Amino acid sequence: MTKVFNWAGYYKAHKERKARDLLIKTFELFDKDKFNSGIAYDLGCGNGHETHELLKKGWRVTAVDNNENVSELMKEIIDEYKDKLEIQISSFENINWTKCDLINANYALPFCPKEHFEFVWENIINSLKVNGRFSGQLFGDRDEWDLVRHTKDEAIKRFEGMEIEFFDEIEKDDKTAIGELKHWHLFDIIARKKN
Ligand SMILES: C[S@@+](CC[C@H](N)C(=O)[O-])C[C@H]1O[C@@H](n2cnc3c(N)ncnc32)[C@H](O)[C@@H]1O
């Protein structure tokens, strides 16, 4: 049976929170390159906390989500940063891509329909400029949800030709945002596109 996700419940649970640590770590890596801000995509942006953080740092952001309610959730951010923010209410396979310096995808890509994932991944890799970064999560093969899942080797292989700068495997039983107990298996990844 296909699982139906309660995104309204998720957005409510995540209403107030800081930007994710993985994005902060990604900023540190860009800082080391003396690269402060560029063009970013935030895939599956949800409430927009990471989009907001990117904008505050001076990045131009295309925030993508197929849930049209995110426009309302992000209303204040949109009003404040209208010159630097584009919202695409779109599924991952229909994104309008341009070359970019960062693709941020927090807890998002596993939800891509399996039949579209290869195409979406190809677009991600092709859209990154040299020295651009991917920052986000892939789900592992032991994750409880039957979404797009990767073994550790498969996850690493996704970044062939790139430098994996951060890779953390997480496996735990823990609650979801809406309070359901779940077996989590995921990889936090930051990778840089090489020449
Ligand atoms: C778990 S939430 C993560 C939101 C945010 N990135 C965060 O870290 O809190 C996943 C988001 O991806 C969006 N999403 C799910 N499937 C999608 C798809 N096929 N195309 C675009 N967005 C999708 C959902 O609407 C939701 O906002």
Side-chain angles (χ1 to χ4, degrees):
M1 207 170 62
T2 313
K3 186 166 172 60
V4 177
F5 291 96
N6 173 1
W7 294 127
Y10 181 91
Y11 300 143
K12 198 169 164 206
H14 277 249
K15 193 166 186 291
E16 305 288 341
R17 69 158 168 80
K18 290 194 299 191
R20 292 190 182 277
D21 290 345
L22 195 65
L23 179 62
I24 305 304
K25 210 179 272 295
T26 306
F27 286 149
E28 288 166 8
L29 291 166
F30 276 113
D31 283 349
K32 278 192 194 156
D33 297 344
K34 307 216 178 317
F35 187 96
N36 301 323
S37 58
I39 297 173
Y41 280 78
D42 186 14
L43 306 186
C45 59
N47 298 62
H49 297 300
E50 284 67 40
T51 295
H52 196 191
E53 196 65 23
L54 282 155
L55 290 161
K56 283 195 277 183
K57 289 252 178 196
W59 289 70
R60 301 191 78 84
V61 185
T62 299
V64 179
D65 204 293
N66 67 354
N67 188 325
E68 58 191 23
N69 294 334
V70 304
S71 302
E72 186 56 34
L73 291 169
M74 293 172 66
K75 200 176 169 316
E76 283 176 26
I77 306 173
I78 295 169
D79 287 348
E80 187 176 352
Y81 292 96
K82 44 179 148 332
D83 298 341
K84 289 204 150 193
L85 172 62
E86 181 198 350
I87 306 271
Q88 289 188 25
I89 301 298
S90 164
S91 293
F92 299 132
E93 66 274 19
N94 293 320
I95 293 173
N96 190 5
W97 289 101
T98 54
K99 289 280 180 192
C100 60
D101 305 285
L102 170 64
I103 295 178
N104 186 68
N106 294 126
Y107 296 85
L109 290 173
F111 298 95
C112 177
K114 289 177 185 173
E115 65 273 25
H116 295 308
F117 189 83
E118 294 303 326
F119 175 73
V120 170
W121 191 255
E122 216 172 284
N123 279 315
I124 287 175
I125 300 300
N126 290 340
S127 303
L128 278 175
K129 295 182 197 169
V130 170
N131 291 325
R133 288 184 166 92
F134 170 88
S135 173
Q137 286 78 22
L138 294 176
F139 279 5
D141 54 321
R142 294 187 295 280
D143 193 85
E144 188 177 315
W145 288 340
D146 180 18
L147 300 173
V148 176
R149 291 179 284 198
H150 293 76
T151 64
K152 187 174 180 177
D153 285 350
E154 286 167 348
I156 290 170
K157 209 156 183 272
R158 287 281 172 204
F159 299 93
E160 230 163 36
M162 292 177 74
E163 179 191 354
I164 296 179
E165 298 173 291
F166 181 81
F167 191 98
D168 190 22
E169 181 173 11
I170 298 151
E171 187 158 7
K172 60 181 180 183
D173 291 318
D174 202 357
K175 286 185 177 162
T176 67
I178 58 165
E180 293 168 346
L181 195 61
K182 182 204 160 195
H183 187 74
W184 293 88
H185 182 211
L186 60 124
F187 310 106
D188 272 359
I189 306 163
I190 305 173
R192 186 179 67 95
K193 192 167 185 173
K194 294 196 286 196
N195 299 342

